[in-house]
């Protein structure tokens, strides 16, 4: 029996109701408003990879979150961010750990087009980002100039205007 088959049998013996069923549960983490400009929590690390972060309504100042250091061990890091308040209320930004680290983005222009930015140091929700606005960030390379990529951009505002920068 192969390793995958052994895992399936193990799952079945542990109480799975369907033969061969694999259960998956996304990690969810509700961020807490820092109530001041600055870091909303400590820097992200590979331990946070795969987490869906929920951004509450923020009350005071631009709140930031540092991305993991760019290196070969962190390639594949991915995280999703979704606004849960009526609006973000304040700017919420992800920032690279080093100025040489860059984010490749395609920011919606609100008219069905996007502006590609292949050398951003940050990506953020604006204060007007509406409930449900979201995006995913992935470290795609250990080369700083092409380290991160933004995808799965979802807008909560009409015509996709003013939420992601």
């Amino acid at each position: 029996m192969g390793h995958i088959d052994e895992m399936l049998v193990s799952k079945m013996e542990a109480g799975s109701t369907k033969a061969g069923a694999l259960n998956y549960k996304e990690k969810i983490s509700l961020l807490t408003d820092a109530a001041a400009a600055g870091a909303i929590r400590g820097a992200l690390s590979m331990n946070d990879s795969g987490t869906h972060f929920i951004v509450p309504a923020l009350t005071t100042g631009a709140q930031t979150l540092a991305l993991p250091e760019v290196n070969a061990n962190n390639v594949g890091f991915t995280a999703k961010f979704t606004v849960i308040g009526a609006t973000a209320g304040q700017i919420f930004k992800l920032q690279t750990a080093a100025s040489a680290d860059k984010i490749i983005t395609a920011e919606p222009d609100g008219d069905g087009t996007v502006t590609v930015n292949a050398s951003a140091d940050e990506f953020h929700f604006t204060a007007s980002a509406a409930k449900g606005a979201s995006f995913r960030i992935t470290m795609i390379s250990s080369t700083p100039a092409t380290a991160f990529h933004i995808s799965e951009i979802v807008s909560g505002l009409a015509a996709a205007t003013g939420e992601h920068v």
Side-chain angles (χ1 to χ4, degrees), residues 110-132:
D111 61 3
T113 63
V114 296
T115 297
V116 174
N117 183 348
S119 62
D121 294 330
E122 63 183 49
F123 191 77
H124 64 264
F125 288 124
T126 63
S128 62
K131 183 184 293 188

Side-chain angles (χ1 to χ4, degrees), residues 1-13 20-22:
M1 188 166 14
H3 180 67
I4 298 293
D5 295 330
E6 290 170 6
M7 287 183 356
L8 293 175
V9 169
S10 174
K11 286 257 184 215
M12 287 173 45
E13 292 170 354
L22 292 177

Side-chain angles (χ1 to χ4, degrees), residues 25-76:
K25 186 174 181 180
E26 186 174 44
K27 295 186 293 185
I28 305 290
S29 178
L30 175 62
L31 296 172
T32 303
D33 177 23
I40 197 166
R41 58 155 271 185
L44 295 171
S45 72
M46 197 57 163
N47 289 334
D48 296 308
S49 187
T51 302
H52 188 157
F53 290 95
I54 307 301
V55 180
L58 305 174
T59 58
T60 306
Q63 296 184 35
T64 62
L65 184 52
L67 290 164
E69 178 183 347
V70 173
N71 62 47
N73 291 331
N74 288 337
V75 171

